[in-house]
Amino acid sequence: MAPLLQLDQVTICFGGLTAVSAVDLRLGPRELVGLIGPNGAGKTTLFNLITGVYPPTRGAIYFDGRPTANLKAHQLVRRGIARTFQNIRLFASMTVFDTVRTAVQVHRTHGLRDALLRGGGFRRAEAEVERQVRELLALFQLDRVRDEPAVGLPYGDQRRLEIVRALATRPRLLLLDEPAAGMNPTEKSELTALIRLLQEKFQIAVLLVEHDMRVVMGICERIVVLDYGVKIADGPPAAVRANPRVIEAYLGEEAAPHA
Amino acid sequence: MNSGAKRYLLLALLAALIVSGFSAYFNRYYLGVAIDVGINIMLAVSLNLINGHTGQFSLGHAGFMAVGGYIAAKFSLLLQPALPPWMQPLIFCAGLLLGGAIAALTGLAVGVPTLRLYGDYLAIVTLGFGEIIRVIFQTSETFGAATGLTGIPNWTHFGWAWSGAAICVFVVTCLVNSTYGRGFIAVKDDEIAASASGINPVRYKVTAFVVGAFFAGVAGGLYAHHKSFLSPTGFDFMKSIDIVVMVILGGMGRTVGVIIAAILLTLLPEYLREFSDYRMILYALLIILIMIARPQGLFTFARRRPDSK
Ligand SMILES: Nc1ncnc2c1ncn2[C@@H]1O[C@H](COP(=O)(O)OP(=O)(O)OP(=O)(O)O)[C@@H](O)[C@H]1O
Ligand SMILES: [Mg+2]
């Protein structure tokens, strides 16, 4: 099958630092792939490249067979790439409901003119938006807090809300940047279940950056490892866990499977 | 959920026209102040779309007001002698819209190149732009140069000013409260998160500038036909500051608060005429106090603010 996402020799330099170095990567339409590596390995930077925050210094990125160069971040969202942030970035003056409403409107058919004229079409479109938001919030058990300020939620819920906001744009590829960071073990296992659920229910590809190996090994079919911006491994969890370069660079000895 | 908005607009317009119908019975001085209030509400609410809802710090609102004022005034001065009196309201209306449209175009011209700038930089550029506009009018013979324009027909009565204010409040409220309008707030809160949610920040910022400039332009036209004369010094950057103070005092992004602030800050100077030399000092102190004690604005109540963490 043609890859949904394809990276060819993608490189980015910040001054003298090569944060991502000649990375090749292919991701199928419904794959769930883990992206791991030590701090500063370039995982978040790779996300920023895929989502159009930075243009690559060298190399090319294709989404759905088409090059993404020259597309701005918001245009890539429309094409079907959504993400969450390592440091939560919710809208500080919005409620939970409005946060999701903002993202749902990516594919809206009404705009400025309709907002002013307020005809029947506008009201129907707004009702449809509201229905979609309610459905998403219910699915992720955030409907109880729909009128709460988004940044007033408990930490775990804020992370979940970021995922819902990303899903609200109806992506085909979802990039999750350390969604389990700061969560307690219960929340983590809930999150694991949730990622599985959303990948099945929405039939999307997921690229997951995560430091908690139990989360990653538990749900990913394939794992990619970055170290100093270079891809050092790419394969099924068992093979990656046994890879001496990965053990040396990231996992350490304890993580190695006992012979 | 906003289907009632149109009804409010109609009621407000009706009320403005009824009061206007009885204006002969009111004290002329108070009527004049009431017109000032209406015009200032327009200015403050339209600036609030840019500075409050969209989070772009513009100091150029007096510039947009000047563009609209001069264009509408010149339009009336040129056409009034040539056309019969019954056409006056038409000329007036057309002049106001023309002034607003040209102010909106100016907003577009300023917005597109400068909206890459953030915070203080944007403030400085818009401030500079406002001054450039003023200097252009001050040196242009067509617009009366340093003396300005005089003998502008005195057409702005209560109904015009308050209808303008009602329409402006309606448009800004409807824009911001729609799903589409969440984009303005998203851009203010976090531009990166906004783009990651599919919002085009540049588009929203430019829209805010264009809509805001349009109403500032119409307000300028109303002002010109209220005072009957225009002088370039009336649109210096102190005027922009006046409007900014209304927005800050009322609470950035809070329409009701901003309306109250616009009313108060129009009335206060009327009562404190002997202190007018100290007005800017007073404003500065006021802003500092508000920033310390009530950063959400003086007149915002009962909306729960998320704690910032
Ligand atoms: N905009 C930037 N300008 C300069 N350097 C940057 C920029 N963004 C990232 N870097 C550098 O690139 C390297 C990779 O950073 P990145 O955030 O991608 O790492 P990471 O793998 O996500 O790490 P972590 O696990 O800590 O999140 C780091 O050395 C970082 O300092
Ligand atoms: Mg990171």
Side-chain angles (χ1 to χ4, degrees), chain B residues 106-301:
Chain B
T106 323
L108 191 68
V110 183
V112 170
T114 54
L115 288 175
R116 267 171 253 270
L117 303 171
Y118 296 91
D120 310 348
Y121 299 105
L122 183 65
I124 289 168
V125 169
T126 50
L127 190 151
F129 146 79
E131 290 296 289
I132 291 171
I133 294 282
R134 187 174 60 79
V135 170
I136 289 175
F137 285 122
Q138 199 163 343
T139 48
S140 153
E141 289 301 331
T142 328
F143 291 101
T147 14
L149 294 178
T150 51
I152 304 164
N154 183 338
W155 286 339
T156 304
H157 54 65
F158 185 88
W160 284 102
W162 281 76
S163 302
I167 293 171
C168 175
V169 171
F170 171 79
V171 167
V172 170
T173 316
C174 283
L175 266 193
V176 173
N177 287 344
S178 64
T179 294
Y180 165 85
R182 294 294 94 185
F184 295 107
I185 323 280
V187 169
K188 173 191 70 181
D189 281 351
D190 188 333
E191 253 182 65
I192 292 180
S195 332
S197 311
I199 303 283
N200 180 353
V202 174
R203 185 89 180 256
Y204 273 92
K205 289 196 235 174
V206 170
T207 304
F209 255 85
V210 168
V211 175
F214 173 81
F215 282 109
V218 175
L222 290 168
Y223 176 85
H225 293 79
H226 174 45
K227 303 291 180 197
S228 291
F229 80 97
L230 282 185
S231 97
T233 46
F235 301 107
D236 62 2
F237 107 100
M238 289 300 178
K239 181 68 198 174
S240 290
I241 299 279
D242 274 353
I243 311 168
V244 168
V245 173
M246 292 171 191
V247 173
I248 294 179
L249 196 70
M252 298 260 205
R254 303 304 159 93
T255 306
V256 176
V258 167
I259 293 173
I260 299 176
I263 296 171
L264 280 188
L265 287 183
T266 315
L267 297 182
L268 262 186
E270 292 296 326
Y271 288 106
L272 302 174
R273 278 199 180 277
E274 59 266 47
F275 300 112
S276 62
D277 290 345
Y278 304 108
R279 200 181 52 182
M280 280 297 150
I281 300 177
L282 207 72
Y283 280 5
L285 287 174
L286 208 59
I287 288 186
I288 293 171
L289 278 177
I290 289 169
M291 287 304 174
I292 294 171
R294 275 188 79 87
Q296 73 274 42
L298 217 48
F299 310 111
T300 43
F301 318 97

Side-chain angles (χ1 to χ4, degrees), chain A residues 149-162:
Chain A
V151 295
L153 298 183
Y155 193 74
D157 285 352
Q158 290 195 27
R159 287 238 174 252
R160 244 162 359 120
L161 179 57
E162 265 218 347

Side-chain angles (χ1 to χ4, degrees), chain A residues 38-45 86 177-178 209 211:
Chain A
N39 290 119
K43 306 178 295 292
T44 298
T45 307
Q86 184 172 350
D177 201 346
E178 302 198 19
V209 169
H211 281 296

